[in-house]
């Protein structure tokens, strides 16, 4: 099939290539703008605010904490305040609630207002602690990677990049296999015409398990090479461990049902 003398497949390929190129350039520009904005936020607000909040939190005496809060709001209050560089709207909104509780306490220093002030402080401190470390990890995400690959043989660097590409590709196939497994489970109980007759739940389980194992192997190799500059998060690790255990248990139950 032709369109004005040009083969239609060529037109489709050219359109897809142009679209991918546009998306790549658009994302690259957006990433550049994002990194510039978050670097400003990190240097102007997150780091100095993190230091002050940490000092207040580490202080045990309430009187000293109140003095440090005075210093905190003297630095960050007013029309020229750099809190405008806080990128997350919910955290900026909560800062103003925190500031309002501070002014309320300054006007009427009662025990109730003091308790409200420190409740706002504890929550805002937790928010900004999270915001600070997230920004730090984004800005310095590839720090250890480039440090590890600095002055390495170009041939080895190419191999390392290939391993990283393979790992990302395998991750995509792992998620795809999970979707396939999900539909295969439903197909096991309710036959759908769209799924071939030769396909079975056992094949879906094996495919998912093989890809997961291969993904873990490539991820281990990639981690040793790239060394992502990430903090340890025991809460997230605990959730992942529990989720992995439940998925494993589900697989065992399904396999036992198939054998019976």
């Amino acid at each position: 099939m032709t369109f004005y003398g040009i083969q239609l497949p060529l037109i489709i390929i050219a359109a897809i290539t142009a679209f991918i190129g546009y998306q790549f350039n658009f994302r690259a520009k957006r990433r550049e703008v994002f990194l510039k904005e978050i670097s400003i936020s990190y240097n102007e607000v997150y780091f100095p605010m993190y230091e002050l909040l940490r000092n207040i939190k580490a202080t045990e005496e309430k009187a000293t904490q109140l003095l440090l809060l005075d210093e905190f709001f003297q630095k960050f209050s007013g029309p020229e305040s750099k809190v405008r560089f806080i990128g997350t709207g919910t955290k900026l909104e909560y800062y103003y609630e925190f500031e309002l509780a501070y002014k309320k306490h300054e006007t009427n220093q009662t025990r109730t207002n003091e308790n409200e002030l420190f409740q706002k402080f504890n929550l805002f401190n937790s928010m900004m602690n999270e915001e600070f470390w997230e920004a730090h990890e984004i800005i310095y995400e590839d720090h250890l990677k480039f440090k590890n690959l600095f002055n390495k043989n170009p041939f080895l660097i190419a191999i390392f990049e290939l391993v990283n590409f393979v790992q990302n590709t395998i991750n995509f196939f792992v998620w795809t296999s999970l979707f396939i497994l999900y539909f295969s489970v439903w197909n096991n109980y309710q036959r759908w015409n769209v799924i071939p007759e030769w396909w079975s739940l056992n094949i879906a389980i094996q495919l998912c398990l093989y890809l997961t194992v291969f993904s873990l192997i490539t991820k281990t190799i990639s981690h040793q090479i790239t060394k992502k500059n990430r903090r340890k998060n025991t809460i997230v690790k605990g959730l992942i461990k529990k989720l992995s255990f439940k998925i494993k248990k589900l697989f065992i139950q399904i396999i036992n049902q198939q054998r019976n």
Side-chain angles (χ1 to χ4, degrees), residues 68-82:
L68 290 174
L69 282 172
D70 291 339
E71 179 184 342
F72 176 84
F73 283 106
Q74 285 175 7
K75 181 176 179 63
F76 291 106
S77 292
E80 300 299 325
S81 172
K82 293 182 179 180

Side-chain angles (χ1 to χ4, degrees), residues 20-247:
I20 294 174
Y22 169 78
Q23 288 294 325
F24 179 80
N25 290 331
F26 178 77
R27 288 177 62 87
K29 290 179 180 178
R30 289 296 301 166
R31 176 179 171 81
E32 184 180 350
V33 172
F34 170 72
L35 288 174
K36 182 180 179 180
E37 290 175 349
I38 202 169
S39 296
I40 293 173
S41 298
Y42 179 82
N43 292 316
E44 298 292 339
V45 185
Y46 297 159
F47 179 71
M49 186 175 281
Y50 170 78
E51 285 292 311
L52 288 174
L53 291 172
R54 188 179 66 166
N55 290 337
I56 296 170
K57 186 70 175 178
T59 304
E60 296 181 359
E61 296 181 0
K62 280 283 179 71
T64 308
Q65 284 184 320
L66 290 170
L67 290 174
L68 290 174
L69 282 172
D70 291 339
E71 179 184 342
F72 176 84
F73 283 106
Q74 285 175 7
K75 181 176 179 63
F76 291 106
S77 292
E80 300 299 325
S81 172
K82 293 182 179 180
V83 294
R84 64 185 183 276
F85 293 123
I86 295 178
T88 309
T90 53
K91 293 180 175 65
L92 179 59
E93 184 180 15
Y94 199 83
Y95 165 81
Y96 288 118
E97 293 182 15
F98 177 35
E99 184 182 45
L100 186 63
Y102 167 76
K103 291 179 178 178
K104 184 178 178 181
H105 176 264
E106 286 293 292
T107 304
N108 188 13
Q109 297 183 4
T110 63
R111 181 60 60 89
T112 302
N113 289 342
E114 183 180 296
N115 290 336
E116 182 185 356
L117 172 62
F118 280 100
Q119 285 177 1
K120 298 286 186 183
F121 163 76
N122 288 328
L123 184 54
F124 183 72
N125 178 57
S126 177
M127 287 180 173
M128 292 313 299
N129 182 66
E130 178 185 1
E131 192 80 6
F132 166 76
W133 285 112
E134 282 182 354
H136 184 87
E137 289 172 354
I138 289 170
I139 294 170
Y140 296 102
E141 180 179 9
D142 295 328
H143 176 78
L144 291 180
K145 173 184 174 181
F146 289 117
K147 185 178 179 181
N148 188 44
L149 297 179
F150 189 71
N151 286 335
K152 286 284 196 304
N153 188 296
F155 180 73
L156 292 177
I157 294 176
I159 294 176
F160 295 159
E161 293 295 339
L162 177 62
V163 170
N164 192 41
F165 172 77
V166 170
Q167 195 262 324
N168 291 328
T169 305
I170 292 298
N171 281 344
F172 169 77
F173 285 118
V174 168
W175 284 106
T176 304
S177 68
L178 288 173
F179 280 111
I180 293 173
L181 178 60
Y182 173 79
F183 288 109
S184 298
V185 170
W186 279 103
N187 184 64
N188 191 57
Y189 298 100
Q190 181 179 349
R191 282 290 173 182
W192 294 338
N193 295 328
V194 294
I195 296 180
E197 290 293 332
W198 56 266
W199 185 262
S200 67
L201 182 59
N202 286 332
I203 296 175
I205 293 173
Q206 291 177 18
L207 175 65
C208 186
L209 289 176
Y210 290 150
L211 286 173
T212 301
V213 171
F214 193 34
S215 175
L216 291 174
I217 294 172
T218 55
K219 187 174 183 179
T220 302
I221 297 172
S222 178
H223 178 73
Q224 293 299 319
I225 294 170
T226 57
K227 295 182 178 180
K228 292 291 184 181
N229 194 20
R230 298 275 181 187
R231 295 169 69 229
K232 293 181 180 179
N233 191 325
T234 54
I235 297 176
V236 173
K237 286 185 176 180
L239 291 174
I240 292 174
K241 187 176 180 180
K242 290 180 181 178
L243 183 61
S244 300
F245 176 77
K246 289 182 179 179
I247 293 174

